[in-house]
Amino acid sequence: MSTATTGQRSTRKTQIGFVSSRSGDKSIKVTIAYKTPHPLYQKVVNRQTVLHVHDEKNETKVGDKVEVMETRPISRLKRWRVVSVLQKAITAVGTAITESDVAAAVPTKTTKTETSAPAATPKA
């Protein structure tokens, strides 16, 4: 039979990665990039792992650096949950621009005035 535990849990895996997608309510994808040598040629190859993560508070945005922890299955793919947001993504505030703003900022092609080179003197 199974033995009762005294409230001790084994340590769970934690990973640090970047939010690459917000797929739905309380769901995100976290990309964890790492480098590993090629088995035959020993060249360093960039690899990445994508985790489906549960974000209970909907506090993350694309580009945030987050710490995730392994947990029980929450859905068909989600086996990880957000522990903390380590660094927020830098996002610029979007402002609408008009056609006249673009026209004022972009230099236009100007025509050359009648400035010709001095005429060559004929050789005698």
Side-chain angles (χ1 to χ4, degrees):
M1 297 293 156
S2 64
T3 58
T5 60
T6 59
Q8 294 179 354
R9 277 200 305 204
S10 61
T11 56
R12 298 181 178 187
K13 294 180 197 172
T14 59
Q15 298 278 344
I16 294 175
F18 290 93
V19 177
S20 57
S21 173
R22 291 204 47 91
S23 53
D25 188 34
K26 299 183 180 182
S27 297
I28 60 174
K29 284 185 183 179
V30 174
T31 302
I32 300 166
Y34 61 96
K35 296 181 179 199
T36 184
H38 188 276
L40 179 61
Y41 301 113
Q42 300 304 316
K43 179 182 188 278
V44 176
V45 180
N46 292 324
R47 296 287 177 114
Q48 63 186 9
T49 300
V50 177
L51 302 174
H52 296 264
V53 180
H54 182 69
D55 182 14
E56 182 64 35
K57 300 175 189 171
N58 275 333
E59 62 187 350
T60 59
K61 295 186 177 80
V62 174
D64 288 352
K65 186 176 185 180
V66 294
E67 181 181 10
V68 296
M69 177 189 292
E70 195 175 34
T71 186
R72 65 180 173 81
I74 295 171
S75 68
R76 184 172 70 94
L77 294 174
K78 290 195 290 187
R79 306 298 195 257
W80 297 80
R81 64 182 170 89
V82 173
V83 175
S84 63
V85 178
L86 302 176
Q87 184 178 0
K88 290 295 229 180
I90 300 171
T91 57
V93 178
T95 57
I97 58 172
T98 63
E99 224 176 280
S100 59
D101 295 336
V102 174
V106 176
T108 58
K109 190 180 217 182
T110 58
T111 58
K112 291 187 177 182
T113 58
E114 299 282 330
T115 57
S116 59
T121 55
K123 293 188 178 187

